[in-house]
Amino acid sequence: MLILAKHFGVRTAWHGPTDMNPVGHVAQMHMDLVSPNFGIQEWSEFADSVHEVFEGIPKVKNGYAYVNDKPGFGIEI
């Protein structure tokens, strides 16, 4: 599907609602990293309590989200 969209100039825009868990956000970010037609990633910041449960949540700096270099999705529960 992504390749078909690329041929028509359509970029991705993954939805990142506040009720989605960090694993879902990171999975979307990995899709962003391999999509030749990446457009934008919607991001919702997580509460401090979520950061206590999930280790490895991507950091956001100056409007850019950065995944970590751990294996897999890089998140531990």
Side-chain angles (χ1 to χ4, degrees):
M1 187 68 149
L2 293 174
I3 297 301
L4 180 62
K6 176 188 172 194
H7 289 297
F8 289 96
V10 177
R11 297 203 171 271
T12 62
W14 301 112
H15 181 48
T18 56
D19 63 348
M20 187 160 72
N21 67 46
V23 177
H25 274 276
V26 175
Q28 287 183 347
M29 290 180 68
H30 279 80
M31 290 292 294
D32 297 338
L33 292 170
V34 300
S35 297
N37 56 326
F38 168 68
I40 192 167
Q41 174 65 57
E42 181 183 22
W43 187 265
S44 300
E45 189 53 49
F46 297 102
D48 292 337
S49 58
V50 176
H51 284 268
E52 292 174 13
V53 175
F54 294 90
E55 284 187 32
I57 295 176
K59 305 291 183 199
V60 177
K61 292 182 184 177
N62 298 322
Y64 292 93
Y66 297 90
V67 295
N68 61 48
D69 59 354
K70 294 180 181 178
F73 285 150
I75 284 198
E76 293 185 28
I77 302 171

